[in-house]
Amino acid sequence: MKHPLAVSALVAGLALAALPATAPRAQSSLPALGDSVSGEFSVDAERRLGEQIMREIRRDPAYLDDPLLLDYVQSLWQPLVGAAKRRGEIGADTAGAFAWEVFLVLDRSVNAFALPGGHVGVHLGLIAMTVSRDELAAVLAHELSHVTQRHIARSISSSSRQSMVGLAAMILGVLASARTGNAAMAQAAVVGGQAAMVQGQLNYSRDMEREADRVGYGVHSDAGYASAGVAGMFEKLEHANRLNDSNNYPYLRSHPLTTERIGEARARVQADPHAARNMPADGAFEHALAQARARVLMDTSVQALRRAQAQQPGPGASASERLGLLYAQALASTLLREFEPADTALAAADTLLQREAPAAARGGDATQWLQLLRVQSLLARGDGRAAQQRMQALPEGGMSRALLLWRAQTDLAAARAGAPADALRRSTEALQTWVAERRDDAGAWQQLAQCADQLGLKLRAVRAEAESHAALGDIPGAVDRLRAGQQLARSGAAPADFIEASIIDARLREMEARRRELDKEMRNER
């Protein structure tokens, strides 16, 4: 448990066990699907609790914003959210209130976890372990169903008001204790004083797991994923479970695997007429690239990067598996700043893709993944102009956020190297349009701040820095930067920009009010 986020998985699996409970209820006595949860833990309370947890998580070093991987996971997540809405799993009360956000955790262990308010974390180790997008989507569908069925809220609603306050304190305690690296302290924050109640809550949580299996299976299938992906994930988890796990699968500890769950999952797959449905032709290549990127980024020590460089395909390796290994070799070499072997591996990946991949993969996202790795390699060499030329050859559409951020980064590097600033201005305006609709995108705000500063747009740069702090949940930091922007505008040190100055004034009032609100919430929770 070297990161607070590594301990966050305990929140999903053990937060329920840490709550005082009445006698365990049978599944039939749980609220019907779609019903609102009675009691004091309202949708708004759950949303606020989730936001409070995420404010801590987003500031943690293990919170990862890799545009390529995040775009890929989002491309699997959004169809699941859409299917859940069509099925009525996401009701009118939670559709707009919850975040429905998936995020990445820089951790090599196999895990994913749901948090209150529609936030789902995915460890890089999980992406690296799955062999198809259907398997990864199966886990996402399960976690999404924990949220749609409001499992945490359903447990809290059976407890007292004091236990609600205890839940918030417990989660914050877990996150705080994890910062010390003291695993025993983190465990104590979760289970201290609750040993007598664990068995009753475990029975209840098993019912929740079975419900999430059932609902998640329907969502997964309705979103267009192959049912075989569910079967594949259960086989992997069952195998790890038989081996008694060795801390590589924390998912098994927060999601206990029982014979009933395994049997019911197999029965669903066998009864599903679409279980043998094949994955689309280009899905295997893109997933192999995402899997390879996750495998390299989850451990960037020199020893691990050397292993990735040296890994060779087995005799029965598929074309997609060989492509993934070449991508891993190229990325590892780039991170080691050994650019000749990186170029060699990328050239071999290009050849393989052209020779063995279906036409859809050759002209689609798989090609863009290779091109963006070339851009990353050129940026690492300090060749901003060449990186910009590579980016200009890519289409405007496709992986929109990844392309937007990479294009801005290369235009910024080229401008710093003396290239004309026209392309950087276009990227800056594109970023401005993007964040106007997505105020919580901290990575885009950070990129906008750098681009605006390079163009001499000092007020816009300072406000973008402030908005980045706000998106990360650092409200005091946002207030500080907005005040700096206000002083800059009044001093006349920056070019006059009355629109930006008025926005800064308005946002400063909003952020100060938000800080007072947060302070009040914290006092009430104590």
Side-chain angles (χ1 to χ4, degrees):
M1 297 186 189
K2 59 184 178 181
H3 298 300
L5 285 181
V7 184
S8 295
L10 293 173
V11 173
L14 297 178
L16 301 174
L19 289 170
T22 57
R25 297 178 291 175
Q27 176 70 17
S28 59
S29 66
L30 290 171
L33 297 181
D35 284 355
S36 62
V37 178
S38 61
E40 298 180 8
F41 202 65
S42 64
V43 167
D44 185 60
E46 184 174 352
R47 175 189 59 78
R48 286 187 285 108
L49 179 59
E51 290 175 349
Q52 184 176 346
I53 298 169
M54 289 304 299
R55 282 195 295 272
E56 299 292 332
I57 287 177
R58 290 191 182 103
R59 293 198 292 268
D60 191 273
Y63 179 83
L64 178 67
D65 183 5
D66 181 79
L68 269 171
L69 281 177
L70 189 57
D71 262 16
Y72 180 67
V73 176
Q74 285 277 13
S75 74
L76 306 183
W77 171 256
Q78 290 303 326
L80 295 170
V81 173
K85 289 180 179 177
R86 291 192 301 272
R87 290 167 54 90
E89 310 295 352
I90 296 177
D93 56 343
T94 59
F98 284 4
W100 306 114
E101 170 197 17
V102 64
F103 61 92
L104 300 175
V105 181
L106 183 59
D107 197 294
R108 62 187 301 171
S109 62
V110 177
N111 203 10
F113 53 92
L115 294 172
H119 308 274
V120 170
V122 178
H123 286 209
L124 294 193
L126 175 67
I127 302 173
M129 182 271 288
T130 55
V131 298
S132 74
R133 67 182 188 180
D134 298 292
E135 288 187 357
L136 181 54
V139 178
L140 295 177
H142 183 93
E143 298 308 313
L144 174 63
S145 298
H146 277 309
V147 177
T148 64
Q149 304 311 299
R150 300 196 61 210
H151 283 156
I152 293 178
R154 287 161 68 173
S155 181
I156 294 174
S157 67
S158 68
S159 306
S160 68
R161 178 178 175 83
Q162 183 61 40
S163 69
M164 290 174 59
V165 176
L167 174 63
M170 182 204 70
I171 294 174
L172 291 174
V174 168
L175 294 172
S177 63
R179 291 192 182 92
T180 68
N182 188 333
M185 181 179 175
Q187 290 279 5
V190 176
V191 300
Q194 305 296 332
M197 304 166 188
V198 168
Q199 185 58 51
Q201 286 294 342
L202 181 60
N203 292 338
Y204 185 37
S205 69
R206 282 173 177 166
D207 284 341
M208 290 180 181
E209 288 299 323
R210 293 170 66 186
E211 183 177 45
D213 288 342
R214 175 176 57 80
V215 175
Y217 186 90
V219 169
H220 182 269
S221 180
D222 286 2
Y225 296 108
S227 302
V230 177
M233 277 306 305
F234 265 94
E235 288 173 4
K236 287 181 173 65
L237 293 172
E238 184 182 15
H239 178 70
N241 201 43
R242 285 201 305 268
L243 296 177
N244 295 319
D245 191 18
S246 58
N247 295 325
N248 292 325
Y249 281 71
Y251 194 75
L252 287 171
R253 295 189 291 279
S254 59
H255 299 74
L257 195 63
T258 63
T259 55
E260 292 84 1
R261 287 184 66 200
I262 295 171
E264 289 174 3
R266 286 175 175 161
R268 285 191 198 96
V269 174
Q270 292 170 0
D272 189 341
H274 302 296
R277 182 173 58 206
N278 288 326
M279 187 171 46
D282 60 337
F285 286 88
E286 188 184 1
H287 187 81
L289 294 170
Q291 183 186 39
R293 189 170 183 87
R295 186 176 292 127
V296 173
L297 293 182
M298 71 187 188
D299 186 352
T300 55
S301 64
V302 173
Q303 296 85 349
L305 294 177
R306 292 290 180 208
R307 287 195 296 270
Q309 277 185 314
Q311 193 169 2
Q312 298 296 321
S318 66
S320 60
E321 290 170 335
R322 285 182 281 130
L323 181 67
L325 285 176
L326 289 170
Y327 184 93
Q329 290 170 9
L331 178 57
S333 297
T334 295
L335 295 177
L336 288 167
R337 305 188 65 80
E338 297 176 0
F339 300 118
E340 185 174 344
D343 291 342
T344 300
L346 278 170
D350 268 336
T351 300
L352 185 152
L353 194 63
Q354 291 297 321
R355 184 180 66 243
E356 301 193 38
R362 292 198 300 270
D365 286 345
T367 298
Q368 291 187 17
W369 278 72
L370 297 182
Q371 285 288 79
L372 288 175
L373 182 51
R374 278 194 172 83
V375 169
Q376 182 176 352
S377 181
L378 289 168
L379 288 173
R381 302 173 209 205
D383 195 345
R385 288 175 178 266
Q388 185 183 52
Q389 291 174 356
R390 281 281 181 185
M391 280 301 306
Q392 289 172 347
L394 289 172
E396 294 287 340
M399 298 176 292
S400 58
R401 183 176 184 270
L403 287 176
L404 176 75
L405 294 180
W406 278 103
R407 198 178 302 279
Q409 189 175 353
T410 56
D411 290 341
L412 176 62
R416 286 172 173 171
D422 293 346
L424 180 60
R425 290 191 184 92
R426 289 192 294 272
S427 285
T428 301
E429 293 308 314
L431 283 168
Q432 189 69 60
T433 300
W434 176 271
V435 295
E437 300 176 357
R438 302 165 183 85
R439 186 172 281 182
D440 60 347
D441 192 337
W445 281 114
Q446 290 169 355
Q447 188 66 61
L448 176 59
Q450 295 178 46
C451 292
D453 185 67
Q454 177 66 28
L455 291 171
L457 305 172
K458 300 302 182 182
L459 285 182
R460 188 183 297 195
V462 172
R463 183 170 80 89
E465 290 174 0
E467 298 289 2
S468 175
H469 281 283
L472 291 171
D474 181 12
I475 304 304
V479 169
D480 179 72
R481 297 312 299 149
L482 288 168
R483 284 177 176 168
Q486 198 175 61
Q487 292 172 3
L488 186 64
R490 292 172 178 173
S491 69
D497 187 337
F498 298 108
I499 294 177
E500 201 67 47
S502 64
I503 294 174
I504 287 174
D505 289 341
R507 288 294 285 159
L508 179 57
R509 289 192 295 271
E510 291 176 18
M511 288 296 107
E512 288 176 332
R514 179 61 178 150
R515 184 168 65 175
R516 289 192 296 270
E517 180 184 339
L518 291 174
D519 290 343
K520 181 179 179 180
E521 287 180 6
M522 292 300 295
R523 287 195 299 271
N524 290 340
E525 285 174 358
R526 293 192 193 102

